[in-house]
Amino acid sequence: MYKNLTIDFSRTSIYLCPLRWKSTVKRIDKILIANRGEIACRIIRTAKKMGIKTVAVFSEADKNALHVALANEAYEIGPSPSSQSYLKGRTIIETAKKFNCQAVHPGYGFLSENVEFAEDCQKEGVIFIGPPASAIRDMGIKSTSKLIMSKAGVPIIEGYHGEDQSVDNLKNEARKIGFPVMIKAVRGGGGKGMRIARSEEDFEEALESARTESQKAFSDSVVLLEKFVEEPRHVEVQVFADAHGNVVHLYERDCSVQRRHQKIIEEAPAPGLSWEVRNELGAAAVRAAQAVGYLGAGTVEFILDRKAHNFYFMEMNTRLQVEHPITEMITGTDLVEWQIKVASGEELPVKQKDIPLRGHAFEARIYAEDPQGGFLPGAGPLEYLKTPLPSEDVRIETGVRQGDDVSVFYDPMIAKLVVWGNDRFEALSKLKVKLLEYNIAGLETNINFLLDLANHGEFEAGNVHTNFIKDHEDTLFKNVALNEVQLIQAATSIVLLDKLDELKVASFKNDSFNPFTVEANFRVNYHHIRNIQLQFDDKEYNIKIKFLNKQGEYEVSCDNGITWTQVSANLDTKNNENVLVSSINGHRSRINVFRNSDILAVFDKNGKTQFVIPHITYSTEDDALASSSGNKAVAPMPGILDKLLVKVGDKVKKGDSLFVLIAMKMEYVVKATRDATISNISFNIGDSVLKDAAVIQFDEAEESA
């Protein structure tokens, strides 16, 4: 009865019709997810779509996490540090067997590229949803991978990949290569264990830092050296292979814009590439996968000359990448479903010629971090969280909800905002709009920075490279100046939020008609004036608001009553928003606002502006002296005190290293800001340290020396 049925594929959404298989070779109906956060939630979503049950594992810090709530079952595997929980391979395999899981999905990070874990899964009869251990081993050791790639005809950058890891030999090899050189952990990834030595004088400190970070992250301190290519582009190709000899690529992603050698915004396909270069990249990536007998999802990363478009193999990530959603958006695929099906023994559903490239996609990584403070990571509760509405061309990949904590123990990524458009211009326009709709308060994020980046003329033109942020520091990190409209909106918001609180109290007390409760600022035959005090960027502002009537009409002065501005305003409260609807000098606008006891956050066309609500505080003379004289070295972000490089009584010079913090799996060295003598150390190695905590005190006598 359906033989005359036709389908117009031009009208079929590529997002609603992912490519599928006909049957399953090995039955997988239950998966343990050996990960946390957004990637665990992402895997659960696809598993549910496929009718597969999921088991989540969680640490003590994650007992109330979103991935735990979404899974069919969950099991606690240890304390908060990842070394005692998410990296305990034997415990995870035992848990998988205990819950009768046929397979383990490692996500990315943690055990996803751990050779021993993949081997142990195979020994225990648990399917590892990833490549064979041999491929992980070959590609995980960068020196080995480059030899294999060279034999496979994949272009590589020359460097030192030898076994002699003595400092003298490495320094000598660096001289041969020529500075600047890149020092990279052979088992590294995600920017960890990676440092640039720009001169011979910098080399030993950079080497020690790279080794220490690599040892902590990968239990291996071996490094390789490469010539550092200034201003390259970072372009990577998504590959997929099955157990039947089929290997395909799903085009490339450009991940050039980075901070701390970590990606911050990605797009697919890479802007400005010809189809000739695109096909050459794809073919080289397929050769790379074939050379190691690959299986499943992998990413081959290349350094691309930004002008000539010559490319060189950098490394292969033998796992699903953080940025895989943009590939899914331009190809209409579900790569997690592909992973599960290939792991069960299925063939890939398509040949290379059948994989479409449609439109353009961006992914912006939303982090708890301070771009103005060197992108130092943050931690704490998400007191307020409002996201854009998901749709066919907008995805919110996250593992947190409002009220959840961003933990000091793990990566500070809050979410990934993914958008698709018919072309790059349309996709970028959507990204800008949706970033404005992503409202977070309670801790610092990089959303404003992402907005500035997306609106930068050179980024809009597609002129991206790995040095982009540094080259455009002056325009990306400009000082923010408040205007009068923002001050008026902020002050008016406080008045209306106070009124809303009064109404809530009155309703609770069943006293909604008492004018002394609900009309606190209204006076008969008198225009009450209220002073609102706010702080922004350490500057105090005093705004006067004159209440004209009960219909929301005011006069507002930002110059101590010299001039007044006519304002009408009301608060539109619904769902999780308090929207200030205001008319200022005839200009009508709608902005979202959030307030707690300490801050007021205003979300407008410029992003977030956060004010501090002043409180009366008291301090001792000693406190004032310590904070004003620079007699202490403080933690720039919350973290774990990993090393103390000085002791009480030591004399230090300006620039000397004092202590090392570990935060979000990254190492940070805090240095002296002046010549001083160490008078006190307030913490011990291994202690958790809050942001701005005074770790080391200096002798005051040195101040005048």
Side-chain angles (χ1 to χ4, degrees), residues 2 51 75 97 148 200 278 354 403 443 636 644 664 683 696 701:
Y2 297 108
Y75 186 77
K97 296 177 71 175
I148 295 172
E200 188 170 339
R278 177 166 292 121
D354 301 317
L443 74 172
L644 282 168
M664 317 299 180
F683 294 88
I696 289 175

Side-chain angles (χ1 to χ4, degrees), residues 34 138 213 215 286 289 291 351 365 394 399 403 491 508 573 586 649 656:
D138 289 344
E213 194 168 272
Q215 182 66 39
V286 168
K351 302 299 182 184
R365 301 191 190 188
V394 177
F508 178 76
T573 301
D656 285 354

Side-chain angles (χ1 to χ4, degrees), residues 206-219:
L207 174 63
E208 173 63 21
S209 184
R211 280 176 161 172
T212 301
E213 194 168 272
S214 175
Q215 182 66 39
K216 290 185 178 299
F218 313 110
S219 299

